[in-house]
Amino acid sequence: MRTLGTGGPVVSDLGLGCMGMSDLYGPADTAESIATIHAALDAGITLLDTGDFYGMGHNELLIRQALDGRSRDDVRISVKFGAQRDYDGNWLGFDGRPAAVKSSLAYTLRRLGTDHVDVYRIARVDPAVPIEETVGAIAEEVAKGRVRHVGLSEAGAETIRRAHAVHPIADVQLEYSLLSRGIERDILPACRELGVSVTAYGVLLSGHWSKDREMAAGDFRAVSPRFSGDNLAHNLALVDALRGLAEAKGATVAQLAIAWVLAQGEEIIPLVGARRRERLAEALGALDVSLSAEDLAAIEAVVPEGAAAGSRYAEAQMSMLDSER
């Protein structure tokens, strides 16, 4: 178990990212998704991460269905809001106005069938609205008991400091993995200074990917620079280089990658985006992988900082990241 921030909730070492059960990775099976959430809870995972824009509310309704008959007190639900999408799923921008905070939360609570969200955060910092106003509106909902803790997502160090001055920030959700280490320069040190945790997504380097894999309609990786052309070949070579180290530890590449993130500090909680029980079981196996200083050095030698080819997202999406400014 790890604590989000200095006064945030205690959560499991791993969280379950539920996005792919509704959106952005292609079609998903509802029954298998619910079975995977149940398996995660039964295995001791207590943190479920979602967004109100994942499948236009579908993900929240899915979580509500999965939690039916279970104790709400045993689960911590983290929700992102603010992303604006049209009927076809196109991205229209982000809305961090106080009115949008309150409206979005009201709809989320109805869809989840609960009276509170454990951590509430804007998915991307709205450049048109001072972060103090967005966080201030969430803080008002904390005072009313409808939100327990305030979070951020893809925020830069300066924004985190400004937000934390308004209300304690429990955690910042950031992409962090062997292939995405940009937060180590300024953002992670700022979080550690302030006592803010990091919920890390994109941690899993799958050893099951191949250059010939065909992606389903709606899978955002089809337009992701890291999964395209020569970039993909380069990044798959990095995965193959890790395979020998993983096998020496009796682990898979995915387990080694998750274990590496876990080893970076107690304030970092990896979110695994498993959509099926078999992938969840593999991810949970990372908790049994212990990495020595020698192991970490060997991993660093194989995949040093900046080794990945291609940016995290396409240019339009990168421009929306306060963490990349």
Side-chain angles (χ1 to χ4, degrees), residues 5-313:
T6 54
V10 175
V11 298
S12 48
D13 280 342
L14 296 180
L16 181 65
C18 299
M19 178 190 77
M21 298 176 181
S22 299
D23 209 356
L24 300 174
Y25 282 157
D29 180 83
T30 297
E32 180 60 24
S33 296
I34 291 173
T36 300
I37 294 174
H38 287 169
L41 298 175
D42 293 342
I45 286 181
T46 63
L47 177 62
L48 301 180
D49 182 79
T50 184
D52 62 11
F53 51 94
Y54 294 163
M56 302 351 195
H58 176 273
N59 207 238
E60 291 176 323
L61 293 170
L62 180 74
I63 289 174
R64 176 178 184 164
Q65 187 177 352
L67 294 182
D68 185 39
R70 292 183 178 247
S71 173
R72 174 67 178 86
D73 293 336
D74 293 338
V75 184
R76 303 291 173 260
I77 304 176
S78 167
V79 179
K80 291 182 290 297
F81 73 94
Q84 307 296 294
R85 303 176 73 180
D86 66 15
Y87 182 85
D88 297 316
N90 299 308
W91 302 97
L92 304 176
F94 296 88
D95 192 345
R97 294 172 301 155
V101 171
K102 298 175 185 298
S103 176
S104 297
L105 178 62
Y107 278 83
T108 278
L109 294 176
R110 289 293 181 95
R111 283 189 292 262
L112 286 172
T114 185
D115 63 356
H116 72 279
V117 167
D118 294 282
V119 187
Y120 202 51
R121 72 188 81 239
I122 189 165
R124 298 286 187 270
V125 176
D126 183 350
V129 179
I131 194 64
E132 290 86 353
E133 294 185 14
T134 302
V135 169
I138 302 175
E140 291 177 8
E141 297 297 333
V142 172
K144 295 173 182 176
R146 291 191 280 257
V147 172
R148 297 288 168 83
H149 305 280
V150 181
L152 294 171
S153 178
E154 289 293 351
E158 179 186 353
T159 300
I160 295 169
R161 294 182 190 280
R162 289 168 52 198
H164 195 70
V166 175
H167 188 281
I169 302 300
D171 71 297
V172 183
Q173 196 167 112
L174 296 154
E175 183 169 353
Y176 186 45
S177 71
L178 279 166
L179 298 185
S180 297
R181 296 176 58 180
I183 71 168
E184 294 177 349
R185 292 187 289 275
D186 300 310
I187 298 175
L188 188 53
C191 287
R192 286 171 170 158
E193 175 191 335
L194 297 171
V196 174
S197 292
V198 170
T199 40
Y201 71 93
V203 299
L204 196 154
L205 276 65
S206 175
H208 309 287
W209 200 276
S210 72
K211 63 182 180 61
D212 299 321
R213 176 171 174 170
E214 292 187 7
M215 283 173 270
D219 192 326
F220 86 95
R221 290 169 295 188
V223 294
S224 171
R226 288 190 176 171
F227 290 86
S228 304
D230 293 339
N231 289 344
L232 177 59
H234 174 90
N235 295 330
L236 285 176
L238 295 177
V239 172
D240 286 338
L242 284 170
R243 201 179 307 278
L245 297 178
E247 292 174 350
K249 300 291 295 183
T252 66
V253 172
Q255 290 168 343
L256 189 73
I258 296 169
W260 181 87
V261 175
L262 283 165
Q264 301 312 301
E266 288 292 318
E267 72 280 8
I268 301 175
I269 297 91
L271 299 172
V272 294
R275 298 194 294 166
R276 303 194 304 276
R277 282 168 287 180
E278 63 187 89
R279 291 290 179 259
L280 172 67
E282 180 181 16
L284 288 168
L287 296 173
D288 297 322
V289 179
S290 178
L291 299 178
S292 66
E294 292 76 15
D295 293 328
L296 292 171
I299 293 170
E300 177 76 21
V302 170
V303 186
E305 181 182 3
S311 60
R312 296 197 281 141
Y313 299 106

